[in-house]
Amino acid sequence: MAVAFFGMFIAMPMFLAVLRLLGGYVIIEERRAHVYVLFGKVIGILDEPGFHILLFKLGPAALIVHWLGKCHVLDLRLDQAYLRSQPVNSEEGAPMGIGIWYEMFVSDPVAYLFRNANPRGSLAANVSSATVRCLSNMKLGDMLENRHQMSLTVREEVTASSQEWGYKLGSVYIRKVHFRDFEMIKQIESKVVNRLRQVTSAIKQDGANQVSVITSTAERQAAIEFAKAAALRPQIVGGALEQISQDKRVAEVLFDVLEVERLVASKADITLVPAGGEFLPQVLAAQKPAV
């Protein structure tokens, strides 16, 4: 068990490390490229992920390339960059700034290593200059609205030179277009605020007018209905009295009740006189003290 442990976990990794150092094999990771240079000459490029035996790929030079040459390991993964506020002027003379985002990856490892000392910086400078050169003197309205066409224009302009430096340009997108003049920004904000105030005031006035129309319409309809009710009331009361008057006894009872209610409501002194007492009212009236 101890021998197996020593062989599997200590001796074997050490043997593989020495073999790799001597150029026996190499493992290429995903989206990586190994460029082998010997005596100033590129002798091999490995960009397929997996296990490779260098003797089969580079020949006898694989045994000395790690000692007398150099191996450049390049990252081929997609990379992104963003350039802020590239200065341009619109056709109307407004100073504008453009933020442009682009993505790229290394497509030619040899060109990337040996044709340009700083390919990433050169690509950024080329994108910046292409943005300023291609997008200046556009109409301000087009500059604020047609970002897709602007992005395509910059991409077409930069693609050729990026390929010369080993890069392949991916998507290019104009992310931001803004004013660079602070006073102009303040003036635009002021105009927008004033316009919003005008629109808000107009909306409020229109709402008040609508409410006024609704209120006046409701009041007019209510007045019409009250007038109709006032006109119908005498007719209704008259009809009821006519029906009551058709029965003499009901009419007499009704008027008696109304008379008693009026007497009670007046709070006057009431003296009940029995039937047949013809002189009693005169006597009572004579005894009543004068006011």
Side-chain angles (χ1 to χ4, degrees), residues 124 137 143 169 189 196 212 242 248 252 271 275 286:
N137 297 322
M143 192 176 293
L169 199 63
E189 289 179 350
L196 289 175
S212 178
E242 182 181 0
K248 185 178 178 180
E252 290 177 354
T271 303

Side-chain angles (χ1 to χ4, degrees), residues 24-80:
Y25 74 96
V26 68
I27 297 176
I28 307 297
E29 298 180 2
E30 189 76 23
R31 300 299 297 170
R32 295 287 193 283
H34 290 205
V35 180
Y36 293 92
V37 180
L38 182 63
F39 303 130
K41 182 180 179 181
V42 177
I43 61 173
I45 302 172
L46 300 179
D47 55 5
E48 290 292 332
F51 180 85
H52 299 271
I53 298 177
L54 284 181
L55 285 174
F56 295 160
K57 300 291 184 180
L58 306 180
L63 300 177
I64 59 173
V65 69
H66 285 93
W67 305 95
L68 302 178
K70 188 174 183 180
C71 175
H72 298 274
V73 180
L74 300 182
D75 189 347
L76 304 183
R77 291 177 296 181
L78 191 65
D79 196 5
Q80 301 175 349

Side-chain angles (χ1 to χ4, degrees), residues 196-212:
L196 289 175
R197 288 176 178 170
Q198 293 175 357
V199 171
T200 304
S201 177
I203 292 173
K204 289 183 178 178
Q205 185 61 43
D206 184 67
N209 293 337
Q210 294 290 336
V211 171
S212 178

Side-chain angles (χ1 to χ4, degrees), residues 232-248:
L232 290 175
R233 184 173 182 277
Q235 181 181 355
I236 296 171
V237 174
L241 292 175
E242 182 181 0
Q243 292 179 357
I244 292 172
S245 63
Q246 291 177 1
D247 190 336
K248 185 178 178 180

